[in-house]
Amino acid sequence: MGMNSTQFHSFILAGYSDIGRLKYFYLFIITALYISILFANTLLIVVICTERSLHKPMYLFLCSLFVNDLYGSTALFPALMTNLVSDDHSVSTVNLAVMSYDRYLAICYPLQYNVLMAPKKVCILVCVTWLFTFVNDIIHLSLTLRLQLCGNVIEKLYCDNYLVVKLACSTSDMTVNNIFGLCGFVVLFAVPLFTICLSYIKILTICLKSSTENRQKAFNTCTPHLASLLNFSFGCFLILIQSRIDRPRQNVPAVLHTVLSVYFLMCQPLFNPIVYGVRMDKIRQACKNIL
């Protein structure tokens, strides 16, 4: 082995080194964002659970999406807020595709929709999306824990798995991680993207043969999903670029790099409830009734 390995018990998050005196300003912004995310997602979860008219597959998938946003935000934001006010910046060691499939069945097979998307099938699809992601994360973590590391500095505000893998002393040790990461990318991104594209091609084909009124209805029901998909894709692209390019901070201003590194984790949980709450009439009306 070309480099000396050390058993590190913590990682230093170098992303906090350039914050300086602005840490309380950033703390205010992050706290406001977190409160907004908690309020928006919790409100829509309560609305969908309590409003019987929303107990339909599309809204149940949305509820799962909002729970996912709430769960992910709670895992990230408290840690960010703690690290901002602390001098110790160390840390201890596929919904959208299902939703597009649901819209495809609703628009292309409206008469058979309730049979094709029965409650049992909805529960299975939701459980599969959560279980598959959980298993994927467990495997990633197991593969990373076996690595011998030759450093503990991560150029981010949070612990990123691939950046930890890049700290491995031997490139040969990273082979399994890279292969599994590539397979995970195909299964988690390429397959859902194929499902989404295929669903929307079918939807577009049906819409071209339908009346103007039906095309408008399809457009209204698909717009929030497409907006969420584009925002999700843009966030994934930023993460991929920053994780795979060595030393990206040399060519990017520190503040911009910080904002881009947390864009996906911060904006997606707030973007989803806003776009679905504003664009979908039934959810918007149910929110007004509760508030």
Side-chain angles (χ1 to χ4, degrees):
M1 188 175 295
M3 300 178 65
N4 294 327
S5 64
T6 305
Q7 187 65 39
F8 294 104
H9 298 286
S10 64
F11 295 102
I12 298 173
L13 303 175
Y16 294 93
S17 60
D18 298 321
I19 291 177
R21 297 180 179 179
L22 292 174
K23 66 179 181 180
Y24 291 106
F25 173 70
Y26 291 136
L27 178 63
F28 172 78
I29 294 177
I30 290 174
T31 303
L33 274 174
Y34 185 42
I35 293 173
S36 300
I37 289 171
L38 286 178
F39 174 77
N41 284 280
T42 302
L43 173 63
L44 294 184
I45 291 171
V46 171
V47 165
I48 293 173
C49 290
T50 57
E51 186 67 37
R52 294 186 63 85
S53 64
L54 298 180
H55 291 179
K56 298 177 181 178
M58 178 176 66
Y59 300 107
L60 295 179
F61 290 135
L62 280 177
C63 188
S64 174
L65 181 66
F66 299 145
V67 170
N68 179 73
D69 288 341
L70 205 58
Y71 162 75
S73 300
T74 302
L76 172 71
F77 278 82
L80 281 180
M81 292 185 283
T82 302
N83 286 328
L84 278 171
V85 297
S86 173
D87 292 329
D88 180 18
H89 300 143
S90 61
V91 291
S92 55
T93 306
V94 201
N95 258 325
L96 291 173
V98 173
M99 290 167 65
S100 67
Y101 172 66
D102 171 68
R103 290 301 80 209
Y104 157 66
L105 291 180
I107 293 172
C108 299
Y109 301 97
L111 298 180
Q112 302 99 323
Y113 176 70
N114 290 331
V115 176
L116 294 173
M117 197 57 75
K120 183 179 180 180
K121 188 172 185 178
V122 172
C123 292
I124 292 175
L125 288 173
V126 170
C127 290
V128 166
T129 58
W130 281 81
L131 181 62
F132 184 81
T133 306
F134 176 75
V135 171
N136 178 72
D137 290 343
I138 291 296
I139 296 175
H140 267 300
L141 180 61
S142 301
L143 291 175
T144 302
L145 288 175
R146 70 183 178 82
L147 298 175
Q148 292 291 325
L149 305 181
C150 286
N152 68 331
V153 178
I154 297 176
E155 300 287 344
K156 255 188 179 180
L157 296 178
Y158 58 91
C159 193
D160 182 275
N161 181 73
Y162 186 70
L163 294 183
V164 175
V165 173
K166 289 172 71 173
L167 296 174
C169 299
S170 173
T171 55
S172 60
D173 292 339
M174 298 167 53
T175 304
V176 177
N177 295 71
N178 289 332
I179 293 174
F180 182 77
L182 181 61
C183 294
F185 173 80
V186 172
V187 175
L188 285 174
F189 293 99
V191 173
L193 184 62
F194 174 78
T195 304
I196 291 169
C197 291
L198 184 62
S199 297
Y200 276 103
I201 289 173
K202 295 285 187 179
I203 289 173
L204 182 61
T205 303
I206 294 296
C207 287
L208 292 176
K209 300 176 182 178
S210 304
S211 64
T212 304
E213 183 181 357
N214 287 336
R215 284 200 295 268
Q216 185 62 40
K217 287 182 179 179
F219 176 78
N220 289 336
T221 191
C222 292
T223 298
H225 181 264
L226 287 173
S228 181
L229 176 63
L230 290 174
N231 186 59
F232 177 84
S233 301
F234 179 67
C236 289
F237 174 75
L238 291 179
I239 290 178
L240 184 65
I241 291 298
Q242 292 182 11
S243 297
R244 300 287 165 168
I245 297 179
D246 291 327
R247 303 185 181 278
R249 299 183 67 185
Q250 291 184 350
N251 303 318
V252 179
V255 174
L256 179 60
H257 179 271
T258 299
V259 171
L260 294 179
S261 67
V262 296
Y263 172 87
F264 175 74
L265 298 173
M266 286 188 174
C267 293
Q268 190 76 7
L270 186 59
F271 182 85
N272 285 334
I274 290 177
V275 70
Y276 284 107
V278 170
R279 288 290 304 176
M280 306 192 78
D281 294 334
K282 287 187 177 181
I283 292 182
R284 186 170 65 248
Q285 188 58 47
C287 288
K288 287 181 180 179
N289 295 337
I290 286 185
L291 294 176

